[in-house]
Structures are given as C-alpha cells and as structure tokens.
Amino acid sequence: MSLQKLTDFSTYKLSILDEQGKVDEKLLPKLSNTQLVELYSHLINLHVFDEKALKLQRQGRIGTYGSCAGQEACTVGTAYAMEKQDWTFPAFREHGVFMTRGVPMVNVFQYWGGDERGSKVESDMNCFPVAIPVGSQPLHAVGCALAMRYLKKDAVAIGYFGDGATSEGDTLEAMNFAGVFQAPVVLVCQNNQFAISEPRSLQTRAETIAQKAIAFGFEGIQVDGNDVLAVYQAMKQALEKARAGKGPTLLELYTYRMGDHTTADDSTRYRNKEELETWRKRDPIVRFKTYLTAIGVLTPALEEKIMNEAVSKVERAVQAYETMPAPSPSDMFDYMYAQLTPELAEQKKNFLAHLSRVNNASSSKSGEGPGFP
Ligand SMILES: Cc1ncc(C[n+]2csc(CCOP(=O)(O)OP(=O)(O)O)c2C)c(N)n1
C-alpha cells in the first residue's frame, strides 16, 4: 500500500509588462519598433471604435452592444500573433479580433446594427461570424482544427469564450476532444470576472480556469490579460505548438470587464466602485503607452497621429454603415448557412409570403408603392 503523488498539476501565470509600464526583459517577445507601434494602433482603433459604438447605441443608431472596454489587449494581442491562414471563432466581445485581422470596421458596425451583411467577410479571411450561444465557439474551433489537420493545412483554429462559458458542457466536451485528438487549436478564455451579473467566484470553485486543461491532458496557462505583450507572447507560443503538431493550449486571459455586460445591463446593481477603480489602474492601453513612451518608441506627436487616424477611420466606417442601401429583410436567413436547413428554408418561404401580403395590403390602402413593414 502506498500513497504516491501521480503527477505535477501546477499552472503558471505569465505577465511581462507591469502596471507601472515596466517589463521583464527576459520574457519580452521579439517585436520590432514598427510592430510595437502597429500593436498600439490596433489597441487605439479598438478603443475608439468601442466608445463610438456605445454612443451610437444610446442614440438608437445600432442595436444592443457588448463593450470590450478593459479587455482590448486580449483580442488585439491574440489576433496580432496569428497567421493569415488561421481560423477564428469569436463569441460576441471579440470586435478586436475582427479588426486586427483586417475585417473592415464597417462590417462590425453592420453586425451590431442588425445588418446580416456585416457577417460576410472576404472568403480568405478565415473569420467566422459572431456566435452568441455561450460555449459554442470551442466546439466549432476544435472541429475546424481537426478538419485542418485532415486536409493537411498549416492552419490553427482559435475559439474564444468567457469565464461563464466554462460551466457549459459544450466547452468541456470541446476540451476533451481537443485533448484526446491533440487538435491544432488554441482555446482563448477571456476571464473578465463576470458572466452578466454572475461573478467568477460563483462560476467555478477551481482556483484558476487555466488548470481545467490539465484534466483534459493538455496545457493551460493563465496570462495577465491587461498586458498586451504577455497575451501576444503566450498566443504566439500556443500557435507555434499547435502548428508543430504538439496539441492544444488553453489560455486564460485574466482581465476585467470595465463596462456593463451589454447596453441592456446595469452593472452598478451588482458590483462596487472600488473594484472598478482598482482595475482602472490596470488599464491595458495606458500601461502599454507608458512602456512605449519610456523606450522612446511613442512620442506625443506620434500618439496624436495614431489617435487622429483612429478617429477618422471610425468616422468613415460609421458613415459607410449609415449610407449603405438598406438590407433586404430576407438577409436574416442568408448569412449563416451556405445551404439553408429544411426548417429555415420553410421559414424563409413563409416569411417572404407574409411580407408580400403585408406590402400588397399597405400599397392598396395608401396608394403608395411597396415598402417594408
Ligand atoms: C447557451 C446560452 N445561454 C445563455 C445565453 C445568455 N447569455 C449571453 S451572454 C451570457 C454570459 C456570458 O458570460 P461569459 O461567458 O463570461 O462571457 P462575457 O459576457 O463575460 O464576455 C449569457 C448567460 C446565451 N447567449 N447562450
């Protein structure tokens, strides 16, 4: 009889850039000054986009919107590490993944404006559309990763989800599949401490989300999600590992949702100001800016130029979104599946027949031409 320790179940946390903007030189990723500036510009673009989207929602110019304030480094840092051929499966807070990968900003506004055409991107962009069902993205990513290996493609699939999604069976099944089949996948959990009003402490008793990967036989690592350099570096290594056939990684990006869950939420009802203020001091953009300024890469003039460019980029995208010809109501059926399921085909037929009845009735009543209800 004996009691033996079977294996070492330790998990690690990676952070490179601290809250004062100081770095651990040994851990720094290899990025040129041009790349550092590019990374910073992506963060600023996203930040300006996010602020504008919140205002547009309040003015009734887009629909319900989920802000990514405070989490900018998570999406920009991971997307910046990818190769063009990699596939992304975003949830609903990954605006930064789309834009950093080159999806036009106007598409992102369109999506949040309820225009399905926004989900259609160039076919070589390998970006799946927003998927609202919590925990669905890891399954899609693992399936895609296995398909890529079967097709002998040099592509990694990346699935995004939140801390809330780790309580979903789908996420755990996806992790099991990823481990068993050593899928070339990176599972990116943005642990922003909340699933709507549910705090992380009620989501799981586990000390970290990263450690959940151990149960499925692969590596999980916690990363300071407000440190864009750590996020980039962890993602780069996870992608290289997957590409080399060495299996999946779970990245837990430890961050904080600075805004409400969406514009339909009021987070003052379930969290306190002190917590918010603590996290405000950890702002990922301010931290990176302090570092770039200290090493002489960012000057006030360059900073102003980046900000002005971001503002005009966002304004141009809003203008393009708002001056676009109206979508067809049947678009809601046409931007998800290449081929409609029989149920959806039937719904579409009934919907179009209904529209035509309504339009005929209104045009014979008013004497005006057809219009949509
Ligand atoms: C399967 C499913 N259940 C419930 C919802 C409603 N819902 C939308 S977002 C959300 C919370 C998600 O929290 P988390 O996964 O932590 O992501 P976060 O919103 O924090 O980015 C819930 C419950 C949904 N969209 N899908």
Side-chain angles (χ1 to χ4, degrees), residues 1 21 55 62 70 73-74 78 80 104 108 127 135 154 161 169 171 198 258 266 290 309 314 323 328:
M1 295 277 267
K55 287 187 189 132
I62 61 169
C74 299
T78 50
Y80 196 70
V108 190
C127 288
D154 180 35
F161 51 102
T171 302
E198 183 98 333
M258 293 302 291
D266 173 7
T290 309
E309 279 173 7
V314 169
T323 51
S328 155

Coordinates of all heavy atoms in Angstrom, one line a residue, residues 1 21 55 62 70 73-74 78 80 104 108 127 135 154 161 169 171 198 258 266 290 309 314 323 328:
M1 N 0.9 -1.2 0.0 CA 0.0 0.0 0.0 C 0.9 1.2 0.0 O 1.9 1.3 0.7 CB -0.9 0.0 1.3 CG -1.8 -1.1 1.4 SD -3.3 -0.7 0.5 CE -4.3 -0.1 1.8
G21 N 4.2 50.0 -16.2 CA 4.8 50.1 -17.6 C 6.2 49.5 -17.6 O 6.9 49.8 -18.6
K55 N -21.9 55.0 -28.0 CA -22.7 56.3 -28.2 C -23.7 56.0 -29.3 O -24.9 56.5 -29.2 CB -21.7 57.4 -28.7 CG -20.9 57.9 -27.6 CD -20.1 59.1 -28.1 CE -19.1 59.5 -27.0 NZ -17.8 59.8 -27.5
I62 N -27.3 51.9 -33.6 CA -27.1 50.5 -33.7 C -27.9 49.8 -32.6 O -28.5 50.5 -31.7 CB -25.6 50.1 -33.5 CG1 -25.0 50.5 -32.1 CG2 -24.7 50.6 -34.6 CD1 -23.6 49.9 -31.8
G70 N -11.5 47.7 -21.4 CA -10.7 47.0 -20.4 C -10.1 45.7 -20.9 O -9.2 45.2 -20.4
A73 N -6.6 44.4 -24.8 CA -5.3 43.6 -25.1 C -5.6 42.2 -25.4 O -4.8 41.5 -26.1 CB -4.4 43.7 -23.9
C74 N -6.7 41.6 -24.9 CA -7.0 40.2 -25.1 C -7.2 39.9 -26.6 O -6.6 38.9 -27.1 CB -8.2 39.8 -24.3 SG -8.0 40.0 -22.5
T78 N -4.0 38.6 -29.1 CA -4.1 37.2 -29.7 C -4.1 37.3 -31.2 O -3.4 36.5 -31.9 CB -5.3 36.4 -29.1 OG1 -6.5 37.3 -29.2 CG2 -5.1 36.0 -27.7
Y80 N -3.0 39.5 -33.2 CA -1.8 40.0 -33.8 C -0.8 38.9 -33.9 O 0.1 39.0 -34.8 CB -1.2 41.2 -33.0 CG -0.2 42.0 -33.7 CD1 -0.5 42.8 -34.7 CD2 1.2 41.9 -33.3 CE1 0.4 43.6 -35.4 CE2 2.1 42.7 -34.0 CZ 1.7 43.5 -35.0 OH 2.7 44.2 -35.7
P104 N -13.1 44.8 -42.3 CA -13.4 46.2 -42.3 C -14.3 46.6 -41.1 O -15.2 45.8 -40.8 CB -14.1 46.4 -43.6 CG -13.7 45.3 -44.5 CD -13.4 44.1 -43.6
V108 N -18.3 45.4 -38.8 CA -18.5 45.2 -37.4 C -19.7 46.1 -36.9 O -20.6 45.7 -36.2 CB -17.3 45.5 -36.5 CG1 -17.5 45.0 -35.1 CG2 -16.1 44.7 -37.1
C127 N -12.4 34.2 -40.8 CA -13.0 34.7 -39.6 C -14.5 34.2 -39.6 O -15.3 34.7 -40.4 CB -13.1 36.2 -39.5 SG -11.5 36.9 -39.3
G135 N -20.5 29.3 -25.2 CA -19.8 28.0 -25.2 C -19.8 27.2 -26.5 O -19.2 26.1 -26.6
D154 N -1.8 24.1 -43.0 CA -0.9 24.6 -41.9 C -1.6 25.6 -41.1 O -1.1 26.7 -40.7 CB 0.3 25.3 -42.6 CG 1.3 25.8 -41.7 OD1 1.5 25.2 -40.6 OD2 1.9 26.9 -41.9
F161 N -14.1 32.4 -25.8 CA -15.2 32.3 -24.9 C -14.9 33.0 -23.6 O -13.8 33.4 -23.4 CB -15.6 30.8 -24.7 CG -14.4 30.0 -24.3 CD1 -14.3 29.6 -22.9 CD2 -13.5 29.6 -25.2 CE1 -13.2 28.8 -22.5 CE2 -12.4 28.8 -24.8 CZ -12.2 28.4 -23.4
G169 N -21.4 22.5 -20.7 CA -21.0 21.2 -21.2 C -20.2 21.3 -22.5 O -19.2 20.6 -22.7
T171 N -18.3 23.5 -23.8 CA -16.9 23.9 -23.7 C -16.0 22.7 -23.2 O -14.9 22.5 -23.6 CB -16.7 25.1 -22.7 OG1 -17.6 26.1 -23.2 CG2 -15.3 25.6 -22.6
E198 N -23.1 37.3 -12.8 CA -22.6 36.2 -12.1 C -21.1 36.3 -11.9 O -20.4 36.3 -12.9 CB -22.9 34.9 -12.8 CG -22.4 33.6 -12.1 CD -23.6 32.9 -11.4 OE1 -24.5 33.6 -11.0 OE2 -23.5 31.7 -11.2
M258 N -14.7 46.3 -17.9 CA -14.9 47.6 -17.3 C -16.3 48.2 -17.5 O -16.8 49.0 -16.7 CB -13.9 48.6 -17.9 CG -12.5 48.3 -17.5 SD -12.1 48.3 -15.7 CE -12.3 50.0 -15.3
D266 N -27.1 46.9 -16.3 CA -26.7 48.0 -15.4 C -25.8 47.4 -14.3 O -26.3 46.8 -13.3 CB -27.9 48.7 -14.8 CG -27.5 49.7 -13.8 OD1 -26.3 50.0 -13.6 OD2 -28.4 50.3 -13.1
T290 N 2.7 53.7 -21.6 CA 3.8 54.2 -20.6 C 5.1 53.5 -21.0 O 6.1 54.1 -21.1 CB 3.4 53.8 -19.2 OG1 2.1 54.2 -18.9 CG2 4.4 54.3 -18.2
E309 N -5.9 59.3 -36.6 CA -6.2 58.4 -37.7 C -7.3 57.4 -37.2 O -8.2 57.1 -38.0 CB -4.9 57.6 -38.0 CG -4.0 58.3 -39.0 CD -2.7 57.6 -39.2 OE1 -2.5 56.5 -38.7 OE2 -1.8 58.3 -39.8
V314 N -12.8 55.5 -37.7 CA -14.1 55.2 -37.1 C -15.2 56.0 -37.8 O -16.3 55.5 -38.2 CB -14.1 55.4 -35.6 CG1 -15.5 55.2 -35.0 CG2 -13.1 54.3 -35.0
T323 N -24.8 55.0 -44.7 CA -25.2 55.5 -46.0 C -25.4 54.3 -46.9 O -25.7 54.4 -48.1 CB -24.2 56.5 -46.6 OG1 -22.9 55.9 -46.6 CG2 -24.2 57.8 -45.9
S328 N -32.0 43.7 -47.3 CA -33.3 43.0 -47.5 C -33.7 42.2 -46.3 O -32.8 41.6 -45.7 CB -33.1 42.0 -48.7 OG -34.1 41.0 -48.6

